[in-house]
Amino acid sequence: MRVALLSGGTGGAKLARGLLDAVGPQNLTVIANTGDDAWVHGAHVSPDPDLVTYWLADAIDERGYGIRDDSWRVMDALEAAGRPTWFRLGDRDLAMCLIRSELLAAGERLTDAHAAVVRAMGVEARVLPMSDAPAATTIAAHGRTLPFQEFMIVERARGPLEGVGLIGAAPGPVGATARDLAGAPRVADPRGSQAAERDRPEANSAPRPTDAVLAALRDADAIVVGPSNPIASVAPILTLPGVRAALAETTAPVVAVSPFVGGAVLKGPTELFCAFAGIEPSAAGVAAFYGDLLDGIVADEPIAAEVPARETPTLMDTPAARHAVAAATLDFAAALVES
């Protein structure tokens, strides 16, 4: 089974690891959010693609990000020189960023530059940045507009939120359904909905998904929306022109895994972003947000949703648990095809 996973944050990266064990590297493609990307210490940092890569390489640090057993000599030297070090990168982590940065400086696309990082970490599965163009997420809070990483690290994700800007747009309100993200409902068009969405004037000036991303969605036997922050991690991918249309047109089942475990989020500010967007903090709320993009949802709680649901434990705190969630998700996807 060929699987495409939409991923951002820790939950998506953990599920990617479980899917790798379930289907093997040749059948897994991860489409990673790049709204968090930033230039730091002179290097291009791509937090979500790197997080997925380190999980797939079985190299993730116990902190939940970065590379296990890394050293910190560069950060120590920068700190001693009086340079800002609020964004801390271990030495090996920084080396991966420098590989990507060197290739970008030579004119390579982000897709190819990150592929070099994936190879350097010994990962055989594909990890695709959602776009080759800058697609920054910005946050308005406390009367200021901040890049996503500065909001998360310097401001410690302190709410309330006043606006969220996706794929380079100025921060503003976010509607409570995924359909709102593209600015208009799906439209009928004799050339197909991808063509219709492409020809909207606002779509032409926006960052676009890569051909590799659209091909991965087209060729997948199952598409999984990871248990990630629906606004900060998944919405940037869905907002790219053509992605929602690709999900609408695919014959593969599209299944989401809820980010809520035991009724709460285990890590990150998902609840803060859900509150801002008017999303009920539950699996049912996530299902309602994604709406008719989904064919089903997996969660550890009973769900009164408009789409089929599979109730199963979703805590991914061990390799066996990650594999179990991945296997249950793919079994559910296969059952949706048969039904």
Side-chain angles (χ1 to χ4, degrees):
M1 177 183 285
R2 295 167 297 180
V3 179
L5 170 67
L6 276 58
S7 179
T10 300
K14 286 183 174 182
L15 183 58
R17 179 66 215 196
L19 289 168
L20 176 70
D21 295 335
V23 302
Q26 302 308 316
N27 290 317
L28 177 62
T29 300
V30 183
I31 299 167
N33 166 47
T34 58
D36 305 2
D37 284 21
W39 284 89
V40 183
H41 311 308
H44 184 275
V45 180
S46 203
D48 281 341
D50 285 347
L51 183 64
V52 168
T53 302
Y54 299 162
W55 269 101
L56 294 179
D58 195 24
I60 197 71
D61 188 73
E62 63 183 11
R63 297 167 299 158
Y65 58 92
I67 297 176
R68 185 172 54 247
D69 297 328
D70 213 341
S71 56
W72 299 90
R73 297 184 66 179
V74 173
M75 291 301 106
D76 291 344
L78 288 172
E79 199 166 50
R83 304 298 299 171
T85 54
W86 58 266
F87 196 111
R88 296 183 62 78
L89 291 166
D91 297 331
R92 293 176 62 202
D93 198 358
L94 179 59
M96 296 301 105
C97 296
L98 290 173
I99 289 172
R100 183 170 45 239
S101 304
E102 181 180 31
L103 292 170
L104 289 173
E108 296 287 342
R109 300 180 306 140
L110 180 58
T111 295
D112 298 325
H114 186 70
V117 173
V118 173
R119 289 192 299 272
M121 293 299 298
V123 172
E124 296 180 21
R126 291 200 303 167
V127 180
L128 300 177
M130 67 181 191
S131 178
D132 286 328
T137 296
T138 52
I139 306 297
H142 313 293
R144 302 171 61 204
T145 297
L146 299 170
F148 184 81
Q149 291 299 330
E150 188 172 342
F151 171 75
M152 290 293 294
I153 299 173
V154 178
E155 297 297 319
R156 298 181 181 275
R158 183 171 56 94
L161 302 182
E162 297 163 3
V164 176
L166 299 176
I167 63 168
V174 174
T177 69
R179 175 173 290 184
D180 298 333
L181 296 173
R186 297 182 194 144
V187 295
D189 187 284
R191 301 162 298 160
S193 55
Q194 287 194 45
E197 189 166 335
R198 181 181 63 242
D199 289 346
R200 288 189 293 110
E202 63 270 29
N204 292 330
S205 59
R208 303 191 60 78
T210 65
D211 290 342
V213 164
L214 294 177
L217 295 175
R218 183 187 63 239
D219 297 340
D221 299 309
I223 298 171
V224 180
V225 180
S228 306
N229 185 322
I231 298 301
S233 296
V234 180
I237 303 173
L238 297 179
T239 308
L240 292 171
V243 170
R244 287 175 64 257
L247 295 177
E249 294 179 349
T250 182
T251 58
V254 181
V255 176
V257 178
S258 171
F260 293 93
V261 178
V265 175
L266 299 181
K267 185 181 179 67
T270 295
E271 290 173 328
L272 174 68
F273 280 83
C274 284
F276 167 73
I279 301 170
E280 176 188 322
S282 67
V286 171
F289 171 71
Y290 292 133
D292 57 7
L293 294 179
L294 296 184
D295 296 302
I297 186 167
V298 173
D300 69 351
E301 60 183 287
I303 309 169
E306 297 294 325
V307 295
R310 171 71 59 91
E311 185 177 350
T312 190
T314 54
L315 180 64
M316 295 185 287
D317 58 342
T318 67
R322 289 188 283 274
H323 183 273
V325 174
T329 301
L330 297 180
D331 179 72
F332 182 40
L336 289 171
V337 172
E338 295 170 1
S339 62

